[in-house]
Amino acid sequence: QVQLVESGGGLVQAGDSLVLSCAASGATFSTYDMGWFRQAPGTEREFVAAISWSGESTYYAAPGKGRFTISRNNAKNKMYLQMNSLKPEDTAVYYCAGVADLTGRPKSSPSDYDYWGQGTQVTVSS
């Protein structure tokens, strides 16, 4: 099974950028579809973006489309989320998630993933 550790969160101002990283270990990362989710206080965990095992396919939720970019480097066992033009409503704990799957099926539900990191806090001030 894979272990996931997020990093890169922090406190930024509206309009700033951040890059979140997710480091994977303990499994063959290149066989895992990966995703980013976020959860603000009092809300359910919501889908942010996903990337297929090969990196060829990416999917975005509407709030981040055009502002966020998901990517991965299988040689480094890492996944990234580049977040630009951040807004206060982007404030949340961001989680990376993974599932061993080579089907290429788009995955946007938390139930699609088997493994989760501990989360990293992103706070955007206005």
Side-chain angles (χ1 to χ4, degrees), residues 11-71:
L11 172 63
V12 298
Q13 293 188 331
D16 285 350
S17 298
L18 268 180
V19 179
L20 304 184
S21 297
C22 175
S25 62
T28 305
F29 180 64
S30 60
T31 62
Y32 281 68
D33 282 351
M34 299 295 295
W36 286 100
F37 289 76
R38 67 186 184 185
Q39 189 168 20
T43 69
E44 294 187 351
R45 194 165 297 190
E46 68 170 354
F47 172 69
V48 175
I51 188 166
S52 63
W53 59 273
S54 65
E56 290 183 356
S57 299
T58 57
Y59 313 95
Y60 296 92
K65 211 170 274 188
R67 299 188 298 125
F68 296 176
T69 303
I70 189 172
S71 62

Side-chain angles (χ1 to χ4, degrees), residues 82-117:
Q82 171 77 49
M83 303 188 292
N84 298 328
S85 302
L86 282 162
K87 305 175 182 180
E89 51 264 44
D90 295 318
T91 296
V93 177
Y94 283 71
Y95 298 89
C96 68
V99 59
D101 191 325
L102 297 177
T103 64
R105 176 179 62 85
K107 300 174 180 65
S108 60
S109 170
S111 63
D112 290 329
Y113 295 87
D114 293 329
Y115 303 101
W116 294 83

